[in-house]
Amino acid sequence: MTEHNTASRREALTRRHFLAGSAALASTAIAPSPAWSNPIALAATSRILEVKGKAAKVYGLIDAAGRHGISMVLAPRFSVSIKNDLAEETLIHWHGLTPPPAMDGTPMLSGPTIRPGETRPYDFANREAGTHWMHSHVGLQEQHLLAAPLIIRETETPLFDEQEHVVMLHDFTFRDPKDILAELQAGSGAHAGHAMPASSMPASSMPGMLSDIAYDALLANDRTLDDPEIVGVERMGRLRLRLINACAASNLWIDLGALSGEIIAVDGKSIHAVGGSRFPLAIAQRADIRLQLPPGPGAWPILFRSEGSTLQGGIILRQGKGAVARLSDQGEVQPALDLSLEGRLRSVAVPPEIAVSRSEIVRLTGGGADYLWGLNDKYSLHDTIMTVREGERYEMILRNDTTMSHPMHLHGHYFKVVEINGQRINGAIRDTVLVPPDNVITIQFDANNPGTWAFHCHHLYHMNSGMMGALAYASAA
């Protein structure tokens, strides 16, 4: 690619991405439905965290009682309002829900951004219980922690006698993310030389470049291991951890340490339990893990370790009032996430048998020194990569031709993982799947939500550098 072509493509990319709040979109503004009468009120606002002894200004989504995010029981309609208390425009995506297109919260595809001081209503039918989350889809605001849990329980009374705890995970930097992206796009930083993690890692653990951004901390519910959250647990009780990888650019390993557990849901959907003490969790994925606690008393760290890095965060489970050992936020360099668990996951739900209308290859491309990423060599964020017709079933064959893993997320739909590297499986139902370098994963989805939908890598810097396209219905305007 010539220097001129690279500059032209990046100019088009930047122009299209940041026109989200322009007057040209005013005609698509969302009006409240008649049912919108008593919504959950959230504010997109700024707040101050202390990270490693330093004050840091970040964003958040806070309710009227000062709580972060939403915890609710499944109702026929999802009714929420967002007030923008920030000094810049924003737009919130309901990750894990399948709203109509106008309420999906994606710039250029879902209407205008929310202006400072404006309140935006969201009201739509919803059947998606589970561990979900919500986050900004504007620029790099997600790296500023403009994200929060979205927990929707099926019933008011828990189906099982168990304690529950939600953990929101973020990679954190004191740097301005715009500076990070500019450095990457200028061909400097770790990515320029395709730098690898520490040489202590076995070669087999490094299928490509694992990390292109150095972070200052890994936060678990806004706290580091210097001052971790301590969760009181019951003696010999059962605990359900709802884990959300809200990192901008970090795939994680979940390390239960001396404990073992069962992963019982992924991306809000129930699976047949798979046991273990270490589980992969890619960017934007969620995992519900059930633990049977020891007789105690004692304290048990649950660690979250960043792929290709020594950085780690965590929480402490404690039964009784014993002392908690101090833990470092640095551990051993972690290997790449692989697909060994993905190949074992089996969904509880059984979709009806429908013939597949068409299979289509979508290549994950780019990633050179120019830091342009794409889908089928398209880099302009909203180019249509696949067209479908309502009522039909499709397969998308994701082939990673790059040197990095990509957590691929489809808006407005769930999909089933049906093939990994040529091996057919009856896999999990998800909304985000990790595609490692040189791997091919086939997903199957039903075209049951007409509109034009984003499909993108959830690594924030890859997405903002072009790895995003659109799934369009043939009848969509």
Side-chain angles (χ1 to χ4, degrees), residues 18 67 82 84 136 148 164 183 185 202 247 289 313 318 334-335 401 430:
F18 292 101
R67 295 168 297 207
I82 299 285
N84 185 4
S136 170
E164 183 179 292
E183 181 181 272
Q185 291 179 341
C247 292
I289 297 177
R318 181 170 68 177
Q334 296 300 298
D401 293 339
R430 285 192 171 278

Side-chain angles (χ1 to χ4, degrees), residues 270-394:
S270 296
I271 60 169
H272 294 286
V274 177
S277 58
R278 184 174 165 91
F279 302 98
L281 191 65
I283 300 164
Q285 291 183 340
R286 290 87 68 208
D288 290 24
I289 297 177
R290 179 172 287 144
L291 302 172
Q292 183 70 49
L293 297 163
W300 302 275
I302 306 296
L303 297 180
F304 312 108
R305 302 174 182 267
S306 181
E307 173 193 74
S309 169
T310 60
L311 195 63
Q312 60 187 21
I315 62 173
I316 308 295
L317 308 182
R318 181 170 68 177
Q319 196 276 313
K321 297 183 179 180
V324 175
R326 185 178 180 85
L327 296 172
S328 171
D329 68 351
Q330 300 293 320
E332 297 179 354
V333 177
Q334 296 300 298
L337 269 63
D338 59 29
L339 298 175
S340 57
L341 177 64
E342 192 69 57
R344 298 168 59 200
L345 301 181
R346 300 291 180 266
S347 176
V348 170
V350 180
E353 290 292 333
I354 302 175
V356 174
S357 295
R358 187 174 80 252
S359 295
E360 193 157 324
I361 295 173
V362 175
R363 294 181 300 113
L364 316 183
T365 55
D370 56 10
Y371 209 74
L372 276 174
W373 301 89
L375 299 173
N376 292 338
D377 293 315
K378 297 180 179 180
Y379 305 90
S380 61
L381 292 179
H382 300 106
D383 284 326
T384 298
I385 58 165
M386 187 171 179
T387 302
V388 299
R389 293 186 180 276
E390 185 179 4
E392 298 185 359
R393 178 169 291 177
Y394 295 88

Side-chain angles (χ1 to χ4, degrees), residues 47 49 51 58-61 68 133-136 141-149 167-173 215-224 244-252 281 283 304 306 311-314 460:
R47 55 203 179 97
L49 293 183
V51 181
V58 299
Y59 296 159
L61 291 161
H68 204 48
W133 63 303
M134 48 189 160
H135 60 85
S136 170
Q141 290 177 346
E142 192 185 321
Q143 182 70 87
H144 287 292
L145 277 57
L146 191 49
V167 183
M168 189 85 167
L169 300 161
H170 288 286
D171 43 20
F172 174 84
T173 175
Y215 281 100
D216 294 300
L218 185 62
L219 306 180
N221 288 345
D222 290 343
R223 299 171 75 162
T224 68
I244 303 166
N245 185 349
C247 292
S250 301
N251 295 316
L252 303 175
L281 191 65
I283 300 164
F304 312 108
S306 181
L311 195 63
Q312 60 187 21
L460 188 63

Side-chain angles (χ1 to χ4, degrees), residues 424-475:
R424 296 295 287 192
I425 63 170
N426 183 25
I429 295 175
R430 285 192 171 278
D431 60 46
T432 307
V433 67
L434 185 71
V435 189
D438 299 320
N439 279 245
V440 181
I441 293 181
T442 302
I443 62 174
Q444 196 176 91
F445 66 93
D446 293 335
N448 55 14
N449 196 2
T452 301
W453 298 97
F455 178 66
H456 64 90
C457 175
H458 224 289
H459 184 301
L460 188 63
Y461 298 87
H462 295 176
M463 182 183 71
N464 277 272
S465 296
M467 192 171 273
M468 177 173 169
L471 173 79
Y473 281 66
S475 59

Side-chain angles (χ1 to χ4, degrees), residues 8 33 54 63 68 84 100 120 123 144 147 157 225 230 234 256 289 308 317 358 384 408 425 459 462 475:
S8 297
S33 76
K54 295 171 60 177
D63 71 7
H68 204 48
N84 185 4
R120 176 72 52 82
D123 184 272
H144 287 292
T157 303
L225 280 172
I230 298 176
E234 298 177 359
L256 304 181
I289 297 177
L317 308 182
R358 187 174 80 252
T384 298
M408 302 305 299
I425 63 170
H459 184 301
H462 295 176
S475 59

